[in-house]
Amino acid sequence: MAKKPIHRPAARASKKTAPAAPAGLTVEQALDRARRFPDDPRVWLELVQLTIDTDTDRARTAAQKLAQLLPDDYNVRVMLGKLESMAEQYDEARKHYDRALELQPDDFDMLCQVASLQLQVNKGTDQPLTLIDRALAQQPRNIHALYLKAYGLIQVHRYDEAADLLQNQLIPLDQDNAYYWNLLGQTYRDTGALQQAEAAYLKSIALAEAAGNPAAQIDAVSNRLTLMHYMPEHGAEDILQACKAWGALFTPDSAIGRPRPADPAPSRKIRVGLYTSGFS
């Protein structure tokens, strides 16, 4: 997916502003400009743009300085929220996303972004669902927002609503999406509808395999394998075959050759080493 460009925020008046950046600006030059013109937002934005793909810690520090200079700039808050998320500082990211949402309360993408983050850090609450419903009021058939809502409903144990949403709204919009069927399987599993759950997992596995999506296939195969242990109709042989299918997903595409010793003589000395963290 193409990366969205970082929008340039409006510069705030400063007593000392930097001259236009030279063509081919380097990180070292950008750092020097930041030292000489610390109150000019442009130099910090330049530093973020130069380091965001190669040095996220430095980009994050520069974005924090930029947010101090432009505390009410929507794009700066979004940028810093993304960088904090990349650093797994989710509480800090949420603060910046919340501020961005205060600045533009009806922004669809930001409503979904904040809801997605809350689903990670505020599990088991209705807060994300409130934001998702605001987003869906704008785009009721948006598959990303619908998926977030289904996931959020499952988190608060509203399984019947989640299953209804998946079956009647989300899946009809993209019937070949393996992730949607896998999520439907989880919904059925959590309500004790084990046969329906297995059927959904099998559908997800088939779709993922046809689409060449190993990540989705691994998720569905793993979920089905776990489920089979709670289904009396599946005996040991069924579970063994499912385990083999699971293991086959991690088998190398080509055979690994056995190492051949330089000296094949049976009388050669063999040195055996043992690495251990200790014996208990």
Side-chain angles (χ1 to χ4, degrees):
M1 181 182 294
K3 184 178 293 182
K4 293 183 179 180
I6 298 176
H7 299 282
R8 182 177 296 275
R12 188 177 67 176
S14 175
K15 293 181 179 179
K16 190 175 182 182
T17 58
L25 184 70
T26 65
V27 173
E28 289 72 20
Q29 290 172 324
L31 286 168
D32 181 64
R33 284 165 62 81
R35 283 190 290 268
R36 290 188 292 123
F37 305 101
D39 296 324
D40 188 339
R42 293 178 303 167
V43 300
W44 297 104
L45 178 62
E46 291 163 357
L47 188 55
V48 173
Q49 292 172 324
L50 284 170
T51 57
I52 195 168
D53 293 324
T54 57
D55 190 343
T56 53
D57 287 338
R58 177 167 283 171
R60 178 168 157 247
T61 301
Q64 289 169 344
K65 177 63 176 178
L66 186 57
Q68 293 174 13
L69 296 172
L70 300 174
D72 297 327
D73 189 287
Y74 171 83
N75 293 311
V76 170
R77 291 293 178 177
V78 173
M79 177 201 313
L80 186 50
K82 290 179 180 178
L83 286 164
E84 295 288 6
S85 292
M86 292 167 65
E88 299 184 356
Q89 299 298 315
Y90 298 119
D91 288 336
E92 289 300 313
R94 185 178 58 184
K95 292 177 185 177
H96 295 296
Y97 285 143
D98 285 345
R99 180 58 185 147
L101 203 53
E102 289 174 2
L103 294 167
Q104 294 191 22
D106 296 323
D107 184 277
F108 176 86
D109 289 336
M110 188 47 54
L111 286 166
C112 291
Q113 183 65 53
V114 175
S116 179
L117 186 62
Q118 287 188 357
L119 288 171
Q120 296 180 55
V121 298
N122 290 344
K123 296 182 178 180
T125 72
D126 288 326
Q127 291 179 343
L129 292 171
T130 301
L131 297 174
I132 297 166
D133 284 338
R134 285 168 57 187
L136 286 169
Q138 300 179 40
Q139 299 185 32
R141 290 170 58 83
N142 183 278
I143 58 175
H144 177 55
L146 287 170
Y147 183 83
L148 288 176
K149 183 169 183 177
Y151 192 78
L153 288 169
I154 291 171
Q155 281 198 354
V156 294
H157 313 300
R158 291 160 61 181
Y159 300 115
D160 290 341
E161 293 175 66
D164 180 71
L165 186 152
L166 286 161
Q167 286 181 304
N168 299 317
Q169 295 184 63
L170 185 55
I171 289 176
L173 293 174
D174 187 1
Q175 297 186 22
D176 295 333
N177 190 303
Y179 292 107
Y180 301 164
W181 287 96
N182 186 51
L183 192 60
L184 181 61
Q186 291 175 254
T187 307
Y188 284 138
R189 177 201 64 194
D190 291 340
T191 56
L194 304 189
Q195 287 78 17
Q196 290 173 285
E198 184 177 30
Y201 287 145
L202 289 170
K203 178 73 171 180
S204 179
I205 292 167
L207 290 171
E209 187 174 10
N213 186 341
Q217 187 176 0
I218 286 170
D219 282 347
V221 170
S222 174
N223 287 335
R224 180 185 177 240
L225 178 57
T226 303
L227 179 75
M228 291 173 70
H229 288 75
Y230 300 91
M231 300 179 70
E233 58 266 41
H234 286 302
E237 184 60 30
D238 289 341
I239 294 174
L240 174 61
Q241 294 306 315
C243 287
K244 290 180 177 180
W246 163 255
L249 296 175
F250 303 94
T251 303
D253 293 333
S254 57
I256 300 175
R258 295 182 60 183
R260 295 182 178 278
D263 180 7
S267 59
R268 72 185 186 282
K269 292 182 179 179
I270 299 178
R271 293 180 173 84
V272 179
L274 174 65
Y275 289 89
T276 178
S277 58
F279 296 98
S280 57

